[in-house]
Amino acid sequence: AMAVAFLVASGLSFLLARRFLRPLARMEKVAAALAVGDYRARTGIAQGDEVGSLAQSLDALAVRLADAAEESERLAQMRQDFLASVSHELRTPLTVLRGSLEVLEAGLLTDGEERRRYLAQMEANIGQLDRLVGDLFDLTRLQNADFPIEKAPVNVADALSDALRSARPLAAQREITLAFGELPLILMAADFGRLRQMFLIVLDNAVKFSPAQGVVEITVTAKKERWRIAIRDHGTGIAPKILPHLFQRFQRQKGEGNESGTGLGLAIAKAIADRHGIALTAANAEGGGAIFTFRGTNSPGMH
């Protein structure tokens, strides 16, 4: 009887160790690895009992921690890239301003015309810094979900029409035609000023990248609850390497009259669109040029 009891106890001990103790020891090692930041550790345990369920939960936690660590690294890299970009954008006008001030302070400019040219250059660089700071402030506020946007019933077509009027002087300088037809009534709850700003950014961009004496085409369609506005230029189009990142900060592509931009305009336009539930996309159009498309929801019952 004692021999049989010993054999039974040995067998139960083996089964207990295999079924419970070894998995628990494995989970303890994985938990210790996760505690020191090794999120690649996994238990690899597949059992149809409470121990197996606990092991699966621990593996799921490891996956979430790995994803969170990867996202944290991505955000840290984005912050680093953003600060580097801001530093670069600030450095150029500041360097020019410092050089101009040193020349003026040293009294090296005796010719009145040359002195005026230096002052005009300094004023232009101050304007560039002012635009950069303003755009950064706008973008930061728009991308902050806690920053409120005051919305009221507006006609989107009116905001577009106002932006077209503002874009005409720049277009006239390069003899570019802004071609559009009848603008239908498109009602939605929105911030009129922000919508105007959004359209004007894209219109200015289209004018800058259009060849002289070219045409920028604006088409507006509204069907039941959906509306679409497309702005197309006939320039060189968007470089394939830039297209996937076009609405990110400080993305630039050289074009006519684009040298003075801050590289934040399209990011601001996208942020405004997102805050209004408008889908803003960009693509290269068939036959050349770029096309920016706005898609939104019409609210015909709004007064």
Side-chain angles (χ1 to χ4, degrees):
M2 290 179 63
V4 171
F6 177 76
L7 290 174
V8 171
S10 298
L12 290 174
S13 298
F14 176 76
L15 291 175
L16 179 65
R18 184 169 183 178
R19 188 74 178 176
F20 297 105
L21 299 182
R22 288 180 184 174
L24 289 175
R26 174 62 184 160
M27 284 189 282
E28 183 182 9
K29 289 182 179 179
V30 170
L34 295 178
V36 296
D38 182 9
Y39 303 132
R40 297 170 299 176
R42 302 288 185 274
T43 64
I45 297 171
Q47 295 180 191
D49 54 15
E50 289 79 0
V51 174
S53 177
L54 180 60
Q56 290 176 8
S57 298
L58 191 59
D59 286 344
L61 175 62
V63 171
R64 290 195 183 101
L65 288 172
D67 291 343
E70 184 178 346
E71 179 66 11
S72 178
E73 289 179 4
R74 187 183 70 84
L75 291 175
Q77 185 62 46
M78 285 179 62
R79 284 193 294 270
Q80 185 176 347
D81 292 344
F82 174 67
L83 290 174
S85 298
V86 171
S87 300
H88 173 74
E89 295 298 326
L90 291 172
R91 187 177 296 115
T92 301
L94 287 174
T95 301
V96 174
L97 281 171
R98 180 182 298 149
S100 299
L101 284 171
E102 288 174 352
V103 171
L104 290 171
E105 187 179 15
L108 300 177
L109 298 178
T110 56
D111 182 68
E113 183 61 33
E114 190 176 6
R115 185 181 179 87
R116 282 191 293 273
R117 184 172 61 82
Y118 264 76
L119 291 173
Q121 186 183 50
M122 292 172 65
E123 185 179 5
N125 280 278
I126 291 172
Q128 174 75 357
L129 287 171
D130 185 56
R131 286 193 299 273
L132 178 60
V133 172
D135 285 351
L136 283 170
F137 185 59
D138 270 356
L139 187 58
T140 301
R141 290 194 302 172
L142 287 166
Q143 292 183 336
N144 180 7
D146 295 329
F147 174 70
I149 288 184
E150 305 221 351
K151 296 181 180 180
V154 301
N155 181 7
V156 178
D158 286 344
L160 175 60
S161 180
D162 203 359
L164 285 166
R165 281 193 293 271
S166 298
R168 282 197 185 101
L170 178 62
Q173 290 176 10
R174 306 185 55 237
E175 300 182 16
I176 292 172
T177 302
L178 301 176
F180 59 95
E182 184 179 354
L183 302 179
L185 181 67
I186 301 173
L187 292 176
M188 68 178 293
D191 183 322
F192 183 90
R194 290 295 184 186
L195 288 186
R196 176 189 175 280
Q197 181 185 13
M198 175 184 71
F199 290 129
L200 184 57
I201 288 170
V202 176
L203 284 167
D204 281 350
N205 193 72
V207 169
K208 288 175 181 177
F209 284 94
S210 293
Q213 301 179 343
V215 178
V216 173
E217 300 169 3
I218 300 96
T219 57
V220 183
T221 56
K223 296 181 179 179
K224 294 184 179 179
E225 295 184 353
R226 304 295 299 173
W227 57 267
R228 175 182 179 273
I229 295 175
I231 298 175
R232 178 190 174 174
D233 63 62
H234 291 269
T236 57
I238 306 166
K241 66 177 181 180
I242 293 179
L243 186 56
H245 315 288
L246 188 64
F247 294 107
Q248 294 179 5
R249 299 165 176 173
F250 299 112
Q251 288 297 320
R252 278 203 189 96
Q253 178 170 298
K254 290 184 178 180
E256 295 288 343
N258 195 43
E259 294 75 12
S260 61
T262 63
L264 295 170
L266 291 179
I268 292 173
K270 186 68 167 63
I272 294 172
D274 290 343
R275 293 295 299 269
H276 286 83
I278 299 171
L280 171 57
T281 58
N284 285 312
E286 293 184 11
I291 181 168
F292 288 78
T293 306
F294 305 83
R295 292 182 175 88
T297 302
N298 192 11
S299 303
M302 188 175 294
H303 299 286

